[in-house]
């Protein structure tokens, strides 16, 4: 049995989990990660890792490897968090080397969407697949690609899998990444919310604005509620979003010919209302044979995926080294 440690650096919280290669979790802990200082957080990670190991009856030195799940942009090759968009104090933080030195064990640094894909591959809906794709489908759209039983990282930048930033509309809507026409700009939760706020700013009596939990700030939940109530604006926007989802997913299916396309948050949270229109539109955007060979399913790990992300990265490190 291999003990594995996972560290998940999220936008609002940091999680640490101790588990094994079968997916058993021995212990976990969390802390807030809003406006934090790495000079305070990194020692906390070391202290809590030691505590979790002790509570499981082992020493940190008994842990085979740790994995860090972190947001990009980053210097992935050297394990440095360069400039995460929502953490202004985390600039050029050498988190991988710090933890290697202070924990005294080996580890790895991976893009958070890649880690989610690894988690589904080892412990969730991607089990048994040699070729599959995971899409985060949340505030933004991230992706992780498993091809021929290996995580695809790409070349020098190690940034393969940025599936939310393929261009699906020439000179289209501006994306948070700075480009225009990105898939995320049409189907990411944050982009959809921004679009509704812009388009309905002068329509305070519209159903969506009335349903918004915070005045003037509708979100994906607001859109879903208005859709279920039959609001024409919500129906039209949902249809466009579904078509754009199908457009992008059709590209992925034609390019990678995956056995499964595993969908994250919005898909399992909303259910068939989200997935079914995509399936209906998909034949417009990919060939029949790879489409029929690809099963589109929701995440099995759902909310628990962050608990497995870093552990899955550590497990993949051992797998790539043939140490399992």
């Amino acid at each position: 049995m291999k003990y594995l440690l996972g560290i998940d650096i999220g936008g609002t919280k940091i999680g640490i989990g101790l588990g094994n290669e079968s997916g058993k979790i021995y212990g976990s802990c969390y802390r807030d990660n809003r406006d934090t200082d790495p000079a305070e957080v990194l020692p906390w990670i070391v202290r809590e890792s030691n505590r979790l190991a002790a509570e499981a009856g082992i020493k940190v030195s008994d842990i085979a490897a740790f994995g860090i799940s972190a947001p990009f942009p980053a210097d992935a090759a050297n394990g440095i968090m360069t400039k995460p968009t929502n953490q202004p104090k985390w600039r050029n933080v050498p988190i991988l080397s710090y933890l290697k030195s202070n924990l005294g064990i080996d580890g790895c640094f991976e893009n958070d969407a890649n880690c989610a894909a690894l988690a589904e591959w080892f412990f969730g809906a991607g089990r048994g697949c040699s070729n599959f794709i995971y899409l985060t489908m949340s505030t933004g759209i991230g992706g992780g690609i498993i091809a021929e039983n290996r995580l695809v990282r790409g070349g020098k930048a190690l940034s393969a899998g940025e599936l939310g930033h393929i261009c699906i509309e020439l000179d289209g809507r501006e994306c948070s990444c700075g480009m225009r026409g990105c898939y995320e700009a049409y189907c990411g939760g944050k982009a959809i919310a921004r679009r509704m706020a812009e388009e309905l700013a002068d329509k305070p009596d519209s159903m969506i604005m009335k349903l918004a939990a915070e005045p003037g700030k509708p979100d994906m939940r607001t859109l879903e509620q208005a859709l279920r109530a039959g609001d024409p604006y919500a129906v039209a926007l949902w249809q466009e979003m579904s078509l754009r989802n199908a457009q992008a997913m059709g590209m992925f299916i034609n390019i990678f010919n995956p056995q499964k396309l595993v969908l994250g948050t919005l898909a399992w949270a909303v259910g068939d209302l989200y997935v079914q229109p995509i399936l209906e539109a998909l034949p417009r955007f990919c060939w029949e044979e790879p489409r029929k060979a690809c099963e589109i399913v929701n995440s099995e790990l759902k909310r628990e995926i962050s608990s497995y992300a870093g552990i899955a990265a550590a497990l993949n490190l051992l797998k790539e080294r043939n140490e399992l």
Side-chain angles (χ1 to χ4, degrees):
M1 181 178 65
K2 302 282 189 182
Y3 291 102
L4 302 162
L5 184 70
I7 298 102
D8 182 57
I9 310 294
T12 58
K13 68 179 181 178
I14 295 173
I16 306 172
L18 178 65
N20 67 17
E21 73 270 30
S22 299
K24 180 177 180 179
I25 303 295
Y26 296 97
S28 61
C29 62
Y30 300 90
R31 64 160 291 159
D32 185 82
N33 193 34
R34 284 169 286 201
D35 196 33
T36 58
D37 188 333
E40 190 271 325
V41 171
L42 296 184
W44 175 84
I45 293 174
V46 173
R47 290 195 303 271
E48 291 300 295
S49 297
N50 277 280
R51 181 182 65 81
L52 289 174
E55 290 181 356
I58 63 172
K59 302 186 292 267
V60 168
S61 58
D62 295 323
I63 298 172
F66 68 83
I68 303 166
S69 170
F72 273 32
D75 178 355
N78 296 301
I80 298 172
M81 295 182 65
T82 54
K83 48 181 179 180
T85 56
N86 52 2
Q87 298 295 337
K89 295 177 184 176
W90 290 67
R91 293 295 179 265
N92 299 312
V93 178
I95 186 171
L96 180 60
S97 62
Y98 179 92
L99 293 181
K100 282 183 176 182
S101 297
N102 287 273
L103 291 173
I105 57 177
D106 202 7
C108 63
F109 178 97
E110 295 281 3
N111 172 276
D112 50 7
N114 282 349
C115 289
L118 290 170
E120 287 289 346
W121 189 31
F122 289 126
F123 308 123
R127 288 190 304 271
C129 291
S130 56
N131 294 273
F132 98 104
I133 293 171
Y134 175 80
L135 292 172
T136 57
M137 310 303 294
S138 186
T139 303
I141 295 178
I145 304 162
I146 303 297
E148 300 303 318
N149 281 311
R150 291 188 69 86
L151 174 67
V152 177
R153 297 185 182 87
K156 186 176 180 180
L158 301 177
S159 62
E162 291 293 346
L163 300 178
H165 300 286
I166 61 166
C167 181
I168 59 172
E169 181 67 37
L170 188 63
D171 297 324
R173 296 185 63 83
E174 185 175 358
C175 183
S176 60
C177 76
M179 299 197 305
R180 285 191 171 274
C182 288
Y183 173 28
E184 181 176 298
Y186 287 87
C187 298
K190 186 175 181 180
I192 291 283
R194 183 171 61 247
R195 179 175 176 178
M196 289 189 293
E198 291 171 357
E199 294 179 346
L200 300 174
D202 60 347
K203 297 178 177 63
D205 293 329
S206 65
M207 181 180 290
I208 282 187
M209 286 308 205
K210 286 182 176 180
L211 287 172
E214 188 175 348
K217 295 184 178 180
D219 56 17
M220 286 299 296
R221 184 179 295 276
T222 313
L223 178 60
E224 179 190 349
Q225 291 173 330
L227 174 71
R228 292 184 185 277
D231 176 61
Y233 174 89
V235 170
L237 182 56
W238 197 272
Q239 288 174 340
E240 180 185 345
M241 180 186 71
S242 300
L243 193 67
R244 294 298 193 177
N245 271 320
Q247 180 186 4
M249 292 178 195
M251 293 183 196
F252 305 150
I253 289 171
N254 271 359
I255 294 167
F256 295 103
N257 186 25
Q259 293 160 275
K260 284 186 179 181
L261 196 56
V262 182
L263 308 182
T265 309
L266 288 172
W268 57 259
V270 177
D272 287 345
L273 185 65
Y274 189 87
V275 178
Q276 193 58 39
I278 299 172
L279 297 179
E280 291 171 1
L282 201 55
R284 294 178 56 181
F285 300 107
C286 60
W287 290 351
E288 181 180 15
E289 189 170 278
R291 175 174 57 83
K292 289 184 174 179
C294 177
E295 187 180 1
I296 298 180
V297 300
N298 295 340
S299 163
E300 284 186 15
L301 298 178
K302 298 181 179 178
R303 287 188 178 87
E304 299 303 314
I305 198 163
S306 62
S307 300
Y308 291 92
I311 290 171
L315 181 57
N316 191 59
L317 175 67
L318 300 183
K319 177 183 179 296
E320 291 183 344
R321 292 178 173 177
N322 296 313
E323 294 179 10
L324 289 177

